Amino acid sequence: MDMVKNKTRIVMFEFFGLTDDEDLVPFLFVFFLLVYMVTILGNVGMMVIVHISPSLHAPMYYFLSYLSMVDLFYSSVVTPKMLSDLLSKRKLISFIGCALQFCFFAGLASTEVFILSSMAYDRYVAVCYPLHYVAIMTKKKCQGMILTAFLISIVQSTSSTSCMFTLQYCGPYLLDHFYCDIPPILKLSCSDTRSCDILTVFFVCFCTVSTLTIILVSYTLIILAILQMKSTKGQQKAFSTCSSHLICVTIFYVTVFITYLQPSSSHREKQKKVASVFYAMVTPMLNPLIYSLRNQEVKRAILQLLQKHEHEY
């Protein structure tokens, strides 16, 4: 009996990939290679600018540097493998490799939403309690919020990974996706997946509902505070400090909801794959671009660094 189980124990998964249209492959490879290169440059650049610019040594940019770090690793968990698969006839990944990819991807995605909610709270304090901002958003408090985000994410990702990858998989082994994710993996299991389904729903609801509640409450209070301001210039300044973050939050949550909270169907599966591309690869590229193009302090810091570099040479 044990020998039969060992023979049927899965050692490899095979991805369906982004497309089965061979004519699209060269375009997709070049496009996503450029996206990944911009992601690396944008996020590394953002971390460096925040680190070396004294004007950006504030809680908002402390969170932003961690968001850039998470985006960099988050994209790197999926994109290099997907790029190599575009050039391969068979898109294989080992069982252990799939478990590791999912564990890191799920953990980093959870960390991202908690950092985004921390940034929303930071903006709330900045707009509603500007005189007490420094006293409330202390270095110790910011570090505690980041540490909490990572700890919750580690618990979530290890629990989900342990549940999913201790199930039995008896074949077929074709994952209708381009990376290891919950729905396509559970579809292939020949075990009872109810416990994993419940665990998934719990963590998705906990992470999204808790962070989204913080974001919505923070921005509701921010909007009320902005409307009470008598100065139009003050309103514009307050809104400009929040707009970059609000755009990043909207893009991320909309694509996540499309991917995980829509009922399954053949037509919607394609939509979900497109949404997955967006939040797994495009969003990590957009975040630093949005902040560098829309945030006046970041633009000013970049210009100062460029001018300093020109004077040195």
Side-chain angles (χ1 to χ4, degrees), residues 2-21:
D2 288 334
M3 287 179 67
V4 173
K5 282 186 179 178
N6 286 335
K7 285 180 182 178
T8 58
R9 190 172 294 151
I10 188 169
V11 292
M12 283 281 179
F13 285 115
E14 183 174 359
F15 294 125
F16 178 82
L18 280 174
T19 182
D20 56 355
D21 187 345

Side-chain angles (χ1 to χ4, degrees), residues 39 41 248 270:
T39 301
L41 290 171
C248 294
K270 292 180 181 178

Side-chain angles (χ1 to χ4, degrees), residues 177-194:
H177 218 325
F178 59 93
Y179 67 92
C180 294
D181 201 9
I182 298 168
I185 292 172
L186 291 183
K187 278 183 183 178
L188 300 185
S189 176
C190 51
S191 305
D192 185 354
T193 64
R194 279 178 296 181

